[in-house]
Amino acid sequence: MFHRLSPDDPPVEQMVQSHKLRPLELLPWLAIVGAYFAFPEYLSLGSQILLTVVFALSLDLILGYAGIITLGHSAFFGVGAYTAGIYALHISGEPLSGLVVAALAAGLVGLASGLVILRTHGLTLLMLTLAFLFLIHEIANKAGFITGGADGLQGIAMQEIFGQFRFDMFGRTAYVYSAVVLFIVWLFARLLVHSPFGRSLTGIRENVTRMHAIGTPVRRRLVIIYTISAMIAGIAGALLTHTTQFVGLNVLSFERSGEIVIMLILGGIGRLYGAFVGAAVFMIAQDELAKADPVFWYFWIGLLLVLIVMFARGGILGLVDQARRWLRRRV
Amino acid sequence: MRFWKSLIATAAVALVPLAASAQTVKIGIINTYSGPNATLGELIDKGFSLYIKEYSKNLPPGVKIELIKRDDTGPNPDVAKRLAQELITRDKVNMLAGVVWTPNAAAIAPLATEAKIPFMIMNAGTAAVSTMSPYIARVSFTLWQSSYPLGQWAAKNGIKRVYSAVSDYGPGHDTEAGFEKGFVDNGGQIVGKVRMPLANPDFIPFLQRAKDEKPDAVMVFVPAGRQATALMKAYSDLGLKEAGIKLIGPGDITTDEELPNMGDVALGVITMHHYSAAATRPANQAFVQAWKREYGANSTPAFMAVGAWDGMAAIFHAITEQKGRIDGDKTLAAWKGWKNDQSPRGPIMIDPETRDIVQNEYMREVKKVNGALANVEFETIPAVKDPWKVINNRK
Amino acid sequence: MDFVSAAISIVFHGLAFAMVLYIISVGLSVTMGLMGFANLAHGVFAMAGGYLTTTLMNNHGVPFGFALLAAAITVALISIVLERLLYSRLYGAGELEQVLFTIGLIFMSVAVVRYIWGPLPQRMVLPEMLRGQLDLGFRAFPTYRTFLIAVSLALILALWLGIERTNFGAQVRAAVDNRRMAESLGINTGRLFTLTFALGSGLAALGGGLGADLLAINPAYAFEYLVYFLMVVAVGGLGSIRGPFVAAVLLGVSDTAFKYLVPEIGAFVIYIAVIGLLLWRPAGLFGRA
């Protein structure tokens, strides 16, 4: 399931050089810029996809790299979304400061929950992530005087970015805004996973006993990456609030948590770009197919998951890898 | 002979587009077609589809209607907003209609204002919704419309102490406040209130609390459909009827399509609502007949279907007035003050000041009619304007 | 006196809810403990049981008791096929794969069920003698819930006796404790897995049918109640029969009680309770660490 080095790759070279930028990595960015010009009528869907990629990236850090299996990640997404909304409503409609505040709030919640639940593992950990998500959902539901409860937070008006760019109805500003934020997040994530810290996460995921044996502060690392991941998920949530100017309880839904895991698996976990591919493919397919037949969308997604687990554990990018290796052997 | 006939036919078909300047009015429908609440959306869809089927011949010559339907999958305001955005910018609709959920309507409202797109609300019932945009008109209902007069009726009909239990969201809050105002202002006493979680609730603990207070009646609001059935079961399981505690509330707790599922435990429940499928007025009987003809003898319309029916009627009126050339402001002008005396629910009007529905409210009791459960109307309160807006002087 | 009456009412209803949760979840606890397999799709078996029971009763006039049994046996048989064809391939796989696989199964089942039965919840028409109130002299209780508690206790007793007194039960206990050792003693663990899986699924189906009055049978069933089943199993402890019972009673009664005592925060007290319990005992109340 995780991205492993194959026997074909020259081992040490690969490890040492992996942080260098490869030309293939520019592909998603070309696509993002290109889409702006090629699909001007789909920009609102586009910005939703972009912020979902941010969310998926945050999940990849803990699921793909650190191996923490969670079904409750939308708790941090939701905290970020609500913080951004409350901030915009009561303090200032300025978007960039809203992003920062949301990230900090989500990070704080991530730190608190991480300290508490990362002592456990397996089913217990999974259960705790779920319980935590439902807890936050209930709190948001009940604290209607701040969060708007089941009716949602209404009346959010975002100011122009840098005083210049208004959030227009065609979603142009939202798209560029989300793309820029994604770029920064991606840069940061990329640096992180190629750093010694990031490598140690892979070690923890693969063989935690050995990591303990060589003296790695395992739990501390896990809490740190969990907090960072929560912050990034919070940023994604804030992006949703800024681009839609609304926050509803569904930012804290179990469905959203499940969907983001599916998207990441679809793209391929533990390789950052799985987030791009998975989120884009899933959301575009959902937009197209759900129109045609919403009931069977569920069926195909379920079937896809089952098939991926049984035959294509690396997701789409895993299949691409296999195809490339097969081609290389032929040539 | 056949050759000439087909030649003439072909010529006629080819010339028709020249003869009539064809106008297509695009209407974007945002409705809930999937998820646990898909039945509400289905009833709404059936309602406006039936109207179009029966009355499209009344449209001006050459004017066609094109419906573009989108699924918001439930109370998901971000999805609803994006769908509305796409309908306006990509599909270039002339009007928006539908919307089951208040948060979805709230998310779409600013778009309607910015793009000057008329927005006909066929369901969402929180009182404040119609104030969210000058381009919104509502033809469904508000919870204050049913709960406020219900409170007044209860106080004047021997019910002195009431325990209020509502679902914790906009329409629930409205019901609680509306009932209390009507009830207390007329000498009643609210002995306790509780707000129950909207999702997956278990009604037993809340109704037990109500039973403890020994009120004359429990006033309840939950979303129409299976929650109402679960509520009835809890009411029966706890023996509240035997303890002499009546069950009253807005008609959402005994909707016509759900009544068969509730069983005899629902007998005697008194509600106030703007529509009952059992109503005997001729316009309703014709409507129910047309419904059963189209959707099967076992199918029953309910208030959501009527909201959609009348909404489409109002849309047709605006289209006819403008001869198919839709302008946002002219549409709203056509809607303001529009009346329909032949609505299945009795005479209705869109208030020109508030753009919200003005309609009769009926006191009903659940009785057995021809072996089946029905909401039988026994009292009419005519031409009720949304009390919340009247009391708070809001437009 | 009123408070006592209310308390009895609350405990009673909480207990009925807890019994249904237990019957459904006990199969999950055993299979997870025995096979180490995180089967999140367990709720699908309960849902299938509910759908089959109501369809047999509503469309074919089969009496309540027979419908329940038929549904349970059918689901058990189907689960054997599923286990042999699909689940057994993933026994060695990582937890993530298992979670994803079973979530995929839930998705598929939601679509299939919705296609066949539509989005509305199924009507459960209880047999005449189980409706209404049962007058036990000092107070009246809803007949069906009383029946539910009684039947559940009987089932639980049968289960406990089965696990403690039969050969099969001893083999299961041995395999849960130490699979390799059990295998080296000649116990055919593969067949044991299949049988236990079938038993657990059949029980779940029974629970789904019995509980149809409380946990409404609808397409989203497996998702809606997943949290409850998982909580019962996680708090109770994997592989245990007693654990989920205690957990179900604790969670079922306290959920109802808190909603009654403090309705404003009642809904989320249970999550705080679960988090607390799991942190105190990560392996569950009766689990093996």
Side-chain angles (χ1 to χ4, degrees):
Chain A
M1 198 110 234
F2 302 92
H3 178 49
R4 294 172 208 280
L5 298 167
S6 85
D8 292 29
D9 310 325
V12 179
E13 263 311 296
Q14 253 251 343
M15 282 272 282
V16 164
Q17 299 294 335
S18 65
H19 66 284
K20 297 226 176 97
L21 200 62
R22 297 195 297 271
L24 219 56
E25 295 187 64
L26 294 175
L27 206 59
W29 299 108
L30 288 175
I32 290 174
V33 171
Y36 182 80
F37 297 104
F39 303 107
E41 294 180 333
Y42 288 78
L43 293 181
S44 46
L45 176 63
S47 49
Q48 298 303 304
I49 295 179
L50 291 175
L51 68 91
T52 309
V53 174
V54 175
F55 188 27
L57 273 176
S58 78
L59 185 68
D60 204 13
L61 287 177
I62 53 173
L63 185 62
Y65 284 92
I68 303 173
I69 303 178
T70 165
L71 281 175
H73 209 52
S74 54
F76 310 119
F77 183 87
V79 168
Y82 271 107
T83 309
I86 296 167
Y87 180 81
L89 204 53
H90 298 285
I91 302 183
S92 159
E94 202 283 310
L96 298 177
S97 55
L99 273 184
V100 173
V101 174
L104 287 174
L108 218 67
V109 174
L111 180 63
S113 75
L115 281 171
V116 163
I117 73 179
L118 284 171
R119 275 190 255 158
T120 64
H121 52 269
L123 174 71
T124 313
L125 177 59
L126 189 70
M127 200 50 243
L128 283 170
T129 62
L130 263 184
F132 195 72
L133 170 65
F134 280 97
L135 181 64
I136 303 262
H137 181 277
E138 267 314 302
I139 294 178
N141 192 7
K142 275 296 168 182
F145 53 96
I146 331 176
T147 62
D151 297 315
L153 208 53
Q154 300 163 14
I156 299 174
M158 299 304 304
Q159 290 173 11
E160 293 87 1
I161 306 179
F162 298 134
Q164 275 269 12
F165 306 103
R166 200 177 71 87
F167 280 99
D168 66 305
M169 200 173 50
F170 288 84
R172 283 184 295 238
T173 313
Y175 187 86
V176 176
Y177 176 53
S178 310
V180 171
V181 172
L182 173 59
F183 183 74
I184 298 172
V185 166
W186 167 77
L187 218 56
F188 173 75
R190 203 176 176 287
L191 281 168
L192 190 66
V193 302
H194 290 300
S195 69
F197 175 81
R199 309 270 186 178
S200 73
L201 292 177
T202 312
I204 293 173
R205 179 191 80 214
E206 294 295 318
N207 195 334
V208 69
T209 322
R210 195 172 253 177
M211 292 305 282
H212 276 300
I214 63 173
T216 315
V218 169
R219 218 186 118 217
R220 194 177 341 147
R221 299 266 162 109
L222 287 177
V223 173
I224 293 177
I225 193 67
Y226 199 72
T227 309
I228 294 178
S229 166
M231 286 177 72
I232 298 179
I235 291 178
L239 280 177
L240 181 66
T241 306
H242 290 172
T243 54
T244 57
Q245 278 137 52
F246 200 89
V247 192
L249 267 183
N250 67 345
V251 296
L252 286 165
S253 71
F254 175 44
E255 280 78 18
R256 193 180 289 268
S257 248
E259 274 181 0
I260 199 71
V261 173
I262 295 174
M263 285 185 226
L264 196 57
I265 297 298
L266 180 63
I269 52 174
R271 46 202 306 171
L272 284 191
Y273 296 102
F276 287 80
V277 171
V281 170
F282 185 93
M283 291 188 71
I284 294 176
Q286 189 180 43
D287 198 53
E288 285 305 302
L289 296 178
K291 262 184 249 169
D293 195 337
V295 181
F296 267 87
W297 164 251
Y298 254 45
F299 184 80
W300 295 120
I301 280 295
L303 188 60
L304 192 65
L305 256 186
V306 170
L307 291 175
I308 287 180
V309 169
M310 295 183 74
F311 304 116
R313 296 191 180 178
I316 292 179
L317 289 184
L319 286 174
V320 169
D321 264 355
Q322 278 184 13
R324 282 167 66 195
R325 239 175 282 141
W326 181 85
L327 278 171
R328 230 183 287 143
R329 261 184 243 137
R330 294 283 146 154
V331 169
Chain B
M1 192 58 202
R2 283 198 49 207
F3 170 73
W4 290 114
K5 263 195 187 165
S6 39
L7 189 63
I8 293 171
T10 316
V13 167
L15 289 172
V16 157
L18 294 176
S21 53
Q23 274 285 358
T24 307
V25 178
K26 287 190 185 177
I27 306 177
I29 305 271
I30 297 183
N31 199 3
T32 303
Y33 289 105
S34 63
N37 298 291
T39 17
L40 296 174
E42 207 180 294
L43 279 162
I44 292 177
D45 192 278
K46 283 185 171 159
F48 63 68
S49 302
L50 187 62
Y51 188 90
I52 294 178
K53 181 158 192 269
E54 302 273 310
Y55 290 97
S56 58
K57 54 188 188 308
N58 290 4
L59 285 170
V63 174
K64 276 185 342 101
I65 292 199
E66 184 185 328
L67 294 181
I68 305 179
K69 300 182 188 175
R70 291 281 180 262
D71 181 11
D72 59 14
T73 70
N76 295 321
D78 50 332
V79 175
K81 184 160 192 163
R82 179 166 64 81
L83 292 171
Q85 223 168 352
E86 288 169 2
L87 284 168
I88 296 175
T89 59
R90 213 196 296 177
D91 301 294
K92 310 222 186 331
V93 297
N94 303 106
M95 300 186 200
L96 286 172
V99 185
V100 173
W101 310 97
T102 299
N104 294 13
I108 297 174
L111 283 176
T113 312
E114 193 180 330
K116 298 202 204 298
I117 298 275
F119 183 16
M120 173 56 74
I121 302 232
M122 294 173 169
N123 197 70
T126 309
V129 167
S130 62
T131 63
M132 291 179 185
S133 164
Y135 286 88
I136 286 180
R138 172 162 49 189
V139 95
S140 52
F141 59 92
T142 75
L143 269 310
W144 270 76
Q145 260 176 342
S146 45
S147 59
Y148 180 78
L150 178 69
Q152 292 176 315
W153 179 91
K156 293 179 194 159
N157 281 277
I159 298 176
K160 300 205 177 31
R161 305 172 71 246
V162 163
Y163 190 93
S164 157
V166 301
S167 287
D168 196 2
Y169 71 132
H173 304 163
D174 270 12
T175 310
E176 183 189 272
F179 181 83
E180 188 171 351
K181 190 99 176 83
F183 188 58
V184 170
D185 279 2
N186 284 284
Q189 186 198 1
I190 303 271
V191 297
K193 296 196 253 198
V194 74
R195 289 182 175 182
M196 309 179 287
L198 180 60
N200 263 350
D202 177 16
F203 294 109
I204 295 281
F206 304 104
L207 286 184
Q208 178 63 51
R209 271 298 263 261
K211 193 178 179 194
D212 290 346
E213 303 291 332
K214 297 203 194 17
D216 297 319
V218 174
M219 198 286 295
V220 176
F221 171 77
V222 292
R226 81 161 147 124
Q227 286 206 25
T229 308
L231 175 81
M232 288 294 160
K233 281 214 184 97
Y235 174 72
S236 147
D237 278 348
L238 279 174
L240 272 111
K241 202 188 236 178
E242 289 79 2
I245 302 175
K246 292 200 187 60
L247 184 61
I248 65 177
D252 306 67
I253 62 176
T254 56
T255 49
D256 302 300
E257 87 289 0
E258 188 68 17
L259 266 182
N261 292 336
M262 292 185 185
D264 288 356
V265 64
L267 279 171
V269 173
I270 292 181
T271 56
M272 168 167 271
H273 217 210
H274 57 279
Y275 178 72
S276 157
T280 49
R281 68 191 75 87
N284 185 42
Q285 292 187 320
F287 173 67
V288 176
Q289 265 178 15
W291 181 278
K292 287 191 192 284
R293 231 182 1 243
E294 179 73 11
Y295 299 120
N298 284 335
S299 179
T300 321
F303 70 89
M304 319 83 164
V306 175
W309 169 277
D310 285 326
M312 196 47 78
I315 289 176
F316 266 47
H317 169 75
I319 293 178
T320 311
E321 288 249 323
Q322 301 173 70
K323 303 212 194 333
R325 294 181 191 288
I326 305 296
D327 167 71
D329 298 310
K330 291 205 183 110
T331 309
L332 264 303
W335 283 345
K336 287 182 194 168
W338 171 75
K339 290 194 201 216
N340 182 2
D341 289 329
Q342 291 307 311
S343 165
R345 45 181 146 162
I348 62 172
M349 175 178 81
I350 296 184
D351 188 326
E353 287 195 340
T354 64
R355 292 160 283 103
D356 210 346
I357 182 88
V358 179
Q359 58 190 335
N360 291 357
E361 291 286 331
Y362 306 96
M363 287 303 303
R364 313 105 49 92
E365 185 178 343
V366 178
K367 293 201 174 124
K368 259 215 171 105
V369 174
N370 296 331
L373 292 173
N375 290 302
V376 176
E377 297 171 357
F378 62 86
E379 204 176 300
T380 305
I381 294 132
V384 179
K385 288 189 186 189
D386 175 40
W388 179 76
K389 290 201 259 298
V390 170
I391 293 174
N392 294 302
N393 219 347
R394 291 286 299 272
K395 298 217 183 5
Chain C
M1 209 45 225
D2 276 338
F3 177 70
V4 175
S5 172
I8 295 178
S9 208
I10 292 294
V11 169
F12 183 80
H13 282 96
L15 219 56
F17 178 50
M19 293 295 107
V20 174
L21 279 186
Y22 177 68
I23 298 181
I24 297 177
S25 312
V26 66
L28 180 60
S29 170
V30 176
T31 50
M32 284 185 84
L34 184 59
M35 287 122 73
F37 191 91
N39 180 21
L40 298 186
H42 191 73
V44 174
F45 298 124
M47 176 174 77
Y51 270 107
L52 283 175
T53 310
T54 50
T55 308
L56 283 173
M57 284 174 69
N58 295 345
N59 296 14
H60 303 281
V62 177
F64 183 55
F66 287 123
L68 276 177
L69 277 172
I73 294 174
T74 314
V75 171
L77 289 173
I78 295 177
S79 76
I80 293 181
V81 174
L82 276 173
E83 197 264 344
R84 286 285 96 201
L85 284 181
L86 295 173
Y87 280 87
S88 51
R89 287 177 206 266
L90 289 157
Y91 281 155
E95 190 189 319
L96 181 61
E97 279 89 338
Q98 294 172 357
V99 167
L100 290 172
F101 175 74
T102 48
I103 288 189
L105 287 182
I106 300 182
F107 270 100
M108 287 169 70
S109 68
V110 169
V112 168
V113 154
R114 179 133 195 267
Y115 182 71
I116 303 179
W117 281 285
L120 286 175
Q122 294 295 98
R123 283 182 60 192
M124 171 54 112
V125 183
L126 298 172
E128 193 61 55
M129 64 171 160
L130 289 178
R131 284 184 236 163
Q133 305 268 323
L134 192 66
D135 198 347
L136 293 180
F138 55 101
R139 64 175 284 148
F141 290 100
T143 315
Y144 190 67
R145 300 208 186 210
T146 320
F147 166 75
L148 205 57
I149 295 180
V151 165
S152 311
L153 287 174
L155 259 173
I156 294 160
L157 202 61
L159 202 60
W160 287 8
L161 284 175
I163 275 285
E164 295 291 321
R165 295 294 161 89
T166 64
N167 233 352
F168 177 73
Q171 289 182 1
V172 171
R173 276 182 289 130
V176 170
D177 252 345
N178 192 329
R179 193 188 312 169
R180 298 237 180 120
M181 203 59 210
E183 271 173 5
S184 66
L185 287 176
I187 295 178
N188 185 342
T189 46
R191 193 151 38 105
L192 203 64
F193 285 3
T194 311
L195 284 174
T196 320
F197 193 78
L199 187 64
S201 316
L203 271 175
L206 196 62
L210 276 173
D213 209 43
L214 286 98
L215 304 178
I217 306 291
N218 71 96
Y221 186 96
F223 270 130
E224 276 176 17
Y225 304 116
L226 173 65
V227 195
Y228 288 112
F229 306 146
L230 282 183
M231 284 201 288
V232 166
V233 167
V235 169
L238 300 177
S240 152
I241 302 271
R242 266 176 300 166
F245 180 74
V246 176
V249 170
L250 266 176
L251 291 175
V253 175
S254 54
D255 187 44
T256 317
F258 281 119
K259 281 187 184 150
Y260 168 75
L261 291 169
V262 266
E264 283 74 37
I265 62 168
F268 61 77
V269 172
I270 193 173
Y271 300 121
I272 299 182
V274 167
I275 293 176
L277 277 166
L278 281 178
L279 288 176
W280 173 49
R281 293 259 210 239
L285 293 172
F286 288 80
R288 300 130 217 282

